[in-house]
Amino acid sequence: MTTENIIEIKNLVTKFDDRVILDDISLEIERGEIFVILGSSGGGKTTLLKHIIGLLKPFSGEISVLGQDILKMELEDFEGILKKIGVLFQGGALLNSMAVWENVAMSLEHHTKLPAATIRNIVKQKLSLVNLKHAYWLFPSELSGGMKKRVALARAIAMDPEILFFDEPSAGLDPITAADLDDLILELQKKLGITLVVVTHELESIKRIADRILYLQKGKNIFCGTLDEAKALGNEEIDRFFGWNKKTKNN
């Protein structure tokens, strides 16, 4: 069975003045997988995510998304890539002055010429996918933290993206709500066949959803692979992050 790389990064270096944030990062993300970026605080996780979605330019290196080198693209061409990706920002980033349906409809109104009635139908479909069809007319102030995350997820999938990026999706949620969000993410990934790239430090979430992980330590890629491979590696930093010891590894 052959696999297709939907994202490829080669020799990526990021510097802020003389400080190196990402140091020679290379990786490949396969179509259809859930790829989790993790590591210690300040290790470069969110910086890497911002590079992939075009919010930051690196000092050097290559980034290919959907088979195209995004660092060499004109802005007009890159907008075509943006239409094929969705982003769920930490906190949801909903606009409080707009109703739920308006928040979800934003990208459709901005990037398409679809009739208003069609956009409303798509919004209802996406809200149904995240089990929030009843929240159509509500405002963000009327929603719980978990509901806000699900509305943000509905907005992220509004354009039927090929890749979804998540920055700390479970941040601020209680364990039960976080687990429900993970289950929803897994359900949508299976149903829609989307590739997911997730930045998180939530251990239980990582264990539930990750196909593969990238572990960054002080801007360096010290591991990329499955959780079982990470556990077998015997790296002190990774073992401490997950709370693994000899006893838990043998269970």
Side-chain angles (χ1 to χ4, degrees):
M1 181 179 177
T2 59
T3 58
E4 175 190 353
N5 293 327
I6 200 166
I7 297 171
E8 295 183 355
I9 297 174
K10 297 179 181 178
N11 309 118
L12 192 72
V13 175
T14 304
K15 292 182 179 181
F16 295 150
D17 296 324
D18 294 329
R19 182 185 172 207
V20 177
I21 307 300
L22 294 173
D23 189 0
D24 197 27
I25 302 297
S26 295
L27 62 94
E28 298 173 345
I29 299 176
E30 299 173 3
R31 182 179 290 275
E33 75 171 328
I34 300 178
F35 188 88
V36 177
I37 302 170
L38 55 116
S40 56
S41 179
K45 304 183 295 295
T46 299
T47 299
L48 177 58
L49 185 68
K50 288 180 178 178
H51 282 314
I52 301 173
I53 62 179
L55 292 179
L56 285 177
K57 294 290 184 182
F59 176 77
S60 61
E62 301 176 21
I63 303 175
S64 173
V65 178
L66 295 167
Q68 299 187 61
D69 186 341
I70 66 170
L71 299 180
K72 296 180 180 178
M73 298 178 73
E74 297 293 334
L75 179 59
E76 185 176 316
D77 295 325
F78 183 63
E79 288 180 353
I81 294 290
L82 291 178
K83 293 178 183 179
K84 298 177 182 179
I85 69 175
V87 183
L88 196 158
F89 294 102
Q90 188 176 155
L94 301 179
L95 297 179
N96 291 325
S97 61
M98 300 171 68
V100 162
W101 79 267
E102 293 174 301
N103 272 279
V104 178
M106 286 176 62
S107 58
L108 292 164
E109 292 175 339
H110 181 71
H111 293 295
T112 76
K113 296 181 180 179
L114 293 171
T118 302
I119 289 177
R120 287 195 293 270
N121 286 333
I122 293 174
V123 169
K124 289 176 182 178
Q125 292 169 7
K126 303 309 179 185
L127 286 173
S128 292
L129 283 173
V130 300
N131 304 316
L132 276 181
K133 191 173 182 179
H134 65 281
Y136 186 90
W137 292 106
L138 298 180
F139 283 81
S141 60
E142 301 175 275
L143 306 177
S144 67
M147 292 171 71
K148 289 178 182 178
K149 292 290 179 77
R150 284 190 281 158
V151 171
L153 180 54
R155 182 178 62 189
I157 63 174
M159 295 279 292
D160 295 323
E162 296 184 46
I163 312 172
L164 269 181
F165 296 93
F166 296 83
D167 187 10
E168 300 286 1
S170 300
L173 301 181
D174 64 80
I176 294 175
T177 304
D180 288 343
L181 182 62
D182 288 339
D183 289 342
L184 179 59
I185 288 172
L186 289 168
E187 179 184 341
L188 290 177
Q189 191 275 338
K190 183 177 180 180
K191 187 178 296 184
L192 305 177
I194 302 174
T195 304
L196 305 183
V197 181
V198 184
V199 169
T200 185
H201 67 278
E202 302 288 343
L203 296 182
E204 294 306 314
S205 181
I206 295 165
K207 294 172 184 177
R208 278 191 291 264
I209 70 174
D211 290 318
R212 290 192 302 141
I213 64 170
L214 169 73
Y215 196 97
L216 296 175
Q217 182 182 25
K218 296 181 179 178
K220 290 183 178 291
N221 174 359
I222 64 171
F223 175 78
C224 187
T226 66
L227 281 173
D228 287 341
E229 291 168 342
K231 185 177 284 191
L233 184 65
N235 179 277
E236 183 178 350
E237 169 81 11
I238 297 175
D239 287 351
R240 186 164 61 248
F241 180 90
F242 281 101
W244 290 332
N245 53 41
K246 290 182 179 180
K247 183 177 180 179
T248 60
K249 283 190 176 188
N250 291 329
N251 291 336

